Each structure stands twice: as C-alpha cells, then as structure tokens.
Amino acid sequence: MLIGHNPGLQELALVLASRGVDLPKVKQKFPTGALATLVVGSDSWAALRPGDAELVDYVVPRQLG
C-alpha cells in the first residue's frame, strides 16, 4: 500500500496501469481520499515497469457515504 498526495498518486497509477475498466475515471479525476487498487504480476519493485499493472478497483469518497 502506498499513501501520498496528488498529483503524484494519480500520475503513478496512470503510469503503472495499462488496463482496467475504471482507468478512464482515474484519468479524469483522482479526488482526495480516493483509492486505486492495482495488481501486478511482478515479484519485485525493481522489475516493475510502466504499464505492468491492472487497475482492479477505484473508489472515491462519495461512494462510501
């Protein structure tokens, strides 16, 4: 789990994720408190490359209330 601030987290998610049904939503907006869940097949951070991840979930605060 990585926790941080924007625009860094949104940019990181977009660099790592090359697929995922909610990817257009992440491109459009990544509000404070949003959570992007990425799945990667790599066993190490050193082997991780741009586009290696799949966005499997994207939750924004208004969905929780």
Side-chain angles (χ1 to χ4, degrees):
M1 176 181 271
L2 295 175
I3 300 172
H5 295 277
N6 258 347
L9 281 184
Q10 181 180 22
E11 291 171 359
L12 179 62
L14 293 173
V15 165
L16 293 178
S18 62
R19 57 203 178 282
V21 80
D22 287 326
L23 202 51
K25 292 179 186 176
V26 173
K27 288 179 182 177
Q28 182 180 34
K29 187 173 183 180
F30 200 97
T32 299
L35 171 69
T37 304
L38 305 175
V39 173
V40 297
S42 176
D43 290 334
S44 74
W45 284 105
L48 190 59
R49 299 288 178 254
D52 280 354
E54 177 181 4
L55 178 71
V56 295
D57 199 13
Y58 178 62
V59 179
V60 295
R62 65 180 157 88
Q63 292 174 298
L64 302 175

